[in-house]
Structures are given as structure tokens and as C-alpha cells.
Amino acid sequence: MASGIDWGSVPTWVGAFSFFVAALTFIGGQQDKKRELASKVGAWIATGTGAEKGKYFVVVTNAGAAPAFEVKVKDAESGETLLEIPELPVGTQRQEVKKNDESWHPTRKEVTVFPPPHGVTSVMTMTMDPAVRVELRDALGREWKIDQKRHIERVKRDYRSWLGGQGRSS
């Protein structure tokens, strides 16, 4: 018994599937473009050396092509704001910081570096515990959060609150 539904041919199905994959790839690429500036902003805790030994610094770097705005570096554990920068131009800034008059305790971590073409080099470096989180606004006004594991998330604002609470449900 033949069905009255025409399911098309294999080339039609392959074409439809290819279009679907291409659309998903395009959408993913657009999301990557949007988060590009945020992905080029980094922050960490560094220890001082020489005359600054025993001091701790928040280091913030912007490796993008445009400045970042309203940058807040927060302690990942407590959420305490360690550093606020109204405008972060391309480059690096550092500022001494204390956490509620407490020090961070450095831990040693081995990092393997692969400098081409010479082979493998192991480097001992100091890392701070806990890490920091970053909040920023990019040059197009989009707000971002970067957690201590470098996961980048777009912040969605409820703009109804700007209207004096109109439209908010209680």
C-alpha cells in the first residue's frame, strides 16, 4: 500500500540537513564575535617582588582592540569588589589590594610551556587562591561576567527597573 506523502529524495534531505548545520554554525560564530572583547580581558592576583615583597596586586589586562568600561574585579570567594576601573584602555593596569586586611596565600603550580621549535619547558609559577571574577561593559554597551574559570556570560538587565519599577511583578 503506497502512502500519499512525498518524503522527497536523498539529495533534498542532505541539502536540508546541510542548511540546518550551516545556520547553527553561523549563529555560533555570531555569538563568538559578540564575546570577543570580553574574552580578551583578564585579571588575576599577583605577588610583589623586591621592595614590594609581601604585597598583593590585582592585575587587569585588555588585549582587545577597544577599551572596556566599568570594569569590576571581585574576589571569587567573597564577592568583595577589589578594583573598579571606569575605562580600561588596551594594555595592563595593576593596583595593590588587600582582602579585608588579610593576605592571600600563594600556592605553587607547574605550568608546561611549548616554545616552538625548541621543545618543552616546565615553569614553576605562583598562583593565588582564591581567583577573581570580572564584570565589564564592552565598547558596544553589552555587559559581561567572567568567572574564576574564565567562563564568559552575557549579563541581561531588566530595564523595566529604570522606569521606576513599572512593569515589575511583585
Side-chain angles (χ1 to χ4, degrees):
M1 182 171 181
S3 171
I5 300 173
D6 181 12
W7 291 99
S9 63
V10 171
T12 303
W13 280 98
V14 169
F17 179 73
S18 298
F19 175 78
F20 181 71
V21 169
L24 288 177
T25 302
F26 175 78
I27 290 169
Q30 294 301 311
Q31 294 301 321
D32 289 343
K33 276 184 170 179
K34 287 180 181 178
R35 65 178 56 217
E36 183 178 358
L37 180 100
S39 71
K40 293 186 178 184
V41 173
W44 60 93
I45 305 288
T47 55
T49 58
E52 296 177 330
K53 188 172 181 152
K55 295 181 180 180
Y56 295 92
F57 297 87
V58 172
V59 181
V60 185
T61 187
N62 178 2
F69 301 94
E70 300 170 13
V71 178
K72 291 182 185 174
V73 181
K74 297 184 174 192
D75 179 73
E77 189 175 283
S78 69
E80 174 189 355
T81 299
L82 304 172
L83 177 64
E84 288 187 57
I85 303 172
E87 181 177 347
L88 177 64
V90 174
T92 301
Q93 293 187 18
R94 85 186 251 251
Q95 179 176 318
E96 185 178 355
V97 67
K98 292 184 179 181
K99 177 186 168 188
N100 292 330
D101 295 326
E102 298 174 24
S103 294
W104 283 276
H105 300 288
T107 56
R108 292 195 177 277
K109 180 178 182 180
E110 186 170 346
V111 176
T112 303
V113 181
F114 298 92
H118 304 295
V120 177
T121 304
S122 290
V123 178
M124 289 299 287
T125 185
M126 300 292 283
T127 59
M128 296 296 106
D129 183 37
V132 295
R133 295 186 328 235
V134 180
E135 296 176 3
L136 65 103
R137 184 172 52 85
D138 68 17
L140 296 176
R142 297 176 295 226
E143 296 182 33
W144 301 93
K145 283 184 181 179
I146 306 170
D147 71 11
Q148 63 270 26
K149 295 181 180 177
R150 293 289 305 156
H151 295 126
I152 301 169
E153 178 183 338
R154 176 113 183 252
V155 177
K156 304 284 185 182
R157 294 281 179 208
D158 182 6
Y159 294 106
R160 293 176 292 190
S161 63
W162 289 4
L163 303 172
Q166 297 176 5
R168 275 196 274 174
S169 58
S170 37

